[in-house]
Amino acid sequence: MDKLIITAAITGNITLPVQTPHLPLTPQQIIDDAVRAANAGAASVHIHGRDPKTARPTTEPAVYREIAAGIKARSNVIVCVTTGGTADMTPAQRAQVVPALKPELATFNMGSINFSIHPIADRYKDEDYKYPWEKDFAAGTKDFIFRNTFGDIEKLVQIMAENNTKSEFEVYDVGHLYNINFLVRRKVIKFPIWLQFVTGILGGIGANIEEVVHMKQTADRLFGSENYVWSVIGAGYPAEFNLATLAIMMGGHARVGMEDNIFVEKGVLCKSNADLVEKVVRISKELGREIATPDEARKILGLKGRDKVNY
Ligand code: KMH
Ligand code: ZN
């Protein structure tokens, strides 16, 4: 088995400030916590930007540049930039960060789903919210179609290729593997590919062992195990750690982070993304699987290297 690649998703765009006081919000907080997560064992950090004043998710390239450059100055970790954006952004707005930064790695969402966090809006009292946008943002996702049409996907494939940025294909359901397969057959997507199985999102596949095994078997059948490397996200607690453990045992890789889960133990908020990374490092070491350094992860994923980014 390859060494374990741990990805830390530092702040995301669906975790709300009301949910945890420890969520990194400003560029400096995101940089500091990404470096902490890297020092704890993350080979890759998945980055979303937030408006420095309002903490609302943004796709403003200047914010991403500040964050990516700030991390690069202090750590060798791979910076994986989101192209997921958020509810009010078009696919073109979401992609603009790729030509701007030419990152080594960027996420690439493989299908359209009703990506929803609307139940969170009912969990808190109006006076609990820290920012005026939070409640409507969450409630509005009830009718949010996270758009990733074949047309959008073709455009993004081209943008990624032009900038020599590797795709981290986010697969929220088994059908998304078939979308990849269709594009592989059309020679739009080329092997080897890096897959992130995203489970536990309302609107997508559930976070349980059976679904991960099903996705892995489907990927094996469609692509051949030699043509892809995979990782898993189990959104929520304890799914994040249960599915990371499963991936450790199955030869996959694991993503943790406050984008997906805010608890390090039942009812105990993590104070930093590093707490979540450290827990997976402990589990992996107990199970005899070593942790990949950023350079080892670059080799496994076939990345161009941090000397070829534009930040
Ligand atoms: N914003 C979500 C709808 C990504 O980073 O690529 C999806 C998302 C995925 O955050
Ligand atoms: Zn993300």
Side-chain angles (χ1 to χ4, degrees):
M1 271 185 206
D2 282 328
K3 291 186 183 177
L4 183 76
I5 300 172
I6 301 174
T7 300
I10 304 299
T11 185
N13 53 6
I14 49 163
T15 307
L16 304 174
V18 68
Q19 292 178 269
T20 169
H22 309 297
L23 188 66
L25 300 174
T26 66
Q28 193 58 53
Q29 288 169 348
I30 294 169
I31 294 164
D32 290 343
D33 213 54
V35 172
R36 271 184 223 115
N39 290 341
S44 175
V45 288
H46 170 64
I47 294 299
H48 287 255
R50 291 177 182 265
D51 183 288
K53 288 200 185 73
T54 66
R56 194 182 166 114
T58 176
T59 51
E60 179 53 50
V63 173
Y64 284 78
R65 180 174 300 287
E66 182 180 349
I67 295 169
I71 296 170
K72 189 181 176 200
R74 289 168 53 193
S75 173
N76 185 34
V77 72
I78 298 162
V79 176
C80 171
V81 174
T82 183
T83 64
T86 200
D88 47 0
M89 298 161 193
T90 64
Q93 284 172 321
R94 286 161 32 196
Q96 62 186 348
V97 69
V98 176
L101 269 61
K102 303 189 189 304
E104 292 183 81
L105 192 59
T107 54
F108 194 131
N109 295 271
M110 273 320 295
S112 302
I113 60 170
N114 182 181
F115 193 124
S116 193
I117 56 164
H118 71 272
I120 293 177
D122 303 327
R123 261 188 229 161
Y124 300 94
K125 295 200 237 36
D126 284 355
E127 58 269 29
D128 291 339
Y129 288 98
K130 290 192 195 153
Y131 297 92
W133 55 267
E134 289 184 84
K135 188 178 180 183
D136 288 348
F137 179 90
T141 59
K142 192 175 201 170
D143 291 308
F144 168 52
I145 300 169
F146 182 38
R147 183 190 147 147
N148 297 288
T149 63
F150 285 108
D152 298 331
I153 287 170
E154 273 187 19
K155 282 183 208 127
L156 190 55
V157 165
Q158 199 184 333
I159 293 170
M160 301 288 266
E162 282 166 4
N163 294 286
N164 197 12
T165 296
K166 174 103 177 181
S167 299
E168 180 167 307
F169 290 116
E170 295 193 302
V171 174
Y172 297 78
D173 222 321
V174 182
H176 295 184
L177 292 169
Y178 284 85
N179 292 352
I180 295 177
N181 190 46
F182 170 76
L183 294 162
V184 166
R185 305 292 144 210
R186 293 273 169 129
K187 304 202 183 327
V188 175
I189 291 176
K190 292 186 189 63
F191 290 142
I193 53 177
W194 168 227
L195 298 177
Q196 191 67 262
F197 297 150
V198 190
T199 73
I201 297 293
L202 183 59
I205 205 163
N208 54 60
I209 291 172
E210 290 78 2
E211 303 297 14
V212 175
V213 172
H214 181 37
M215 289 211 275
K216 164 81 170 67
Q217 287 174 339
T218 305
D220 282 348
R221 193 158 38 78
L222 294 177
F223 312 136
S225 59
E226 67 284 8
N227 288 319
Y228 76 96
V229 182
W230 65 282
S231 172
V232 70
I233 298 169
Y237 183 92
E240 177 159 281
F241 298 108
N242 290 348
L243 296 192
T245 306
L246 180 70
I248 291 164
M249 295 191 300
M250 288 175 70
H253 303 273
R255 174 171 126 175
V256 295
M258 282 193 245
E259 175 164 350
D260 310 322
N261 162 54
I262 55 178
F263 296 103
V264 67
E265 280 173 38
K266 190 165 187 226
V268 181
L269 292 170
C270 68
K271 294 211 164 59
S272 156
N273 283 283
D275 300 343
L276 306 173
V277 173
E278 279 166 10
K279 182 159 172 168
V280 173
V281 169
R282 286 197 300 274
I283 295 169
S284 194
K285 288 193 171 157
E286 284 294 326
L287 294 174
R289 187 146 172 219
E290 288 180 68
I291 308 301
T293 63
D295 283 341
E296 288 166 341
R298 286 185 174 95
K299 239 190 210 140
I300 295 167
L301 301 178
L303 306 185
K304 64 182 174 185
R306 70 202 275 271
D307 52 329
K308 297 193 178 61
V309 298
N310 184 36
Y311 56 82

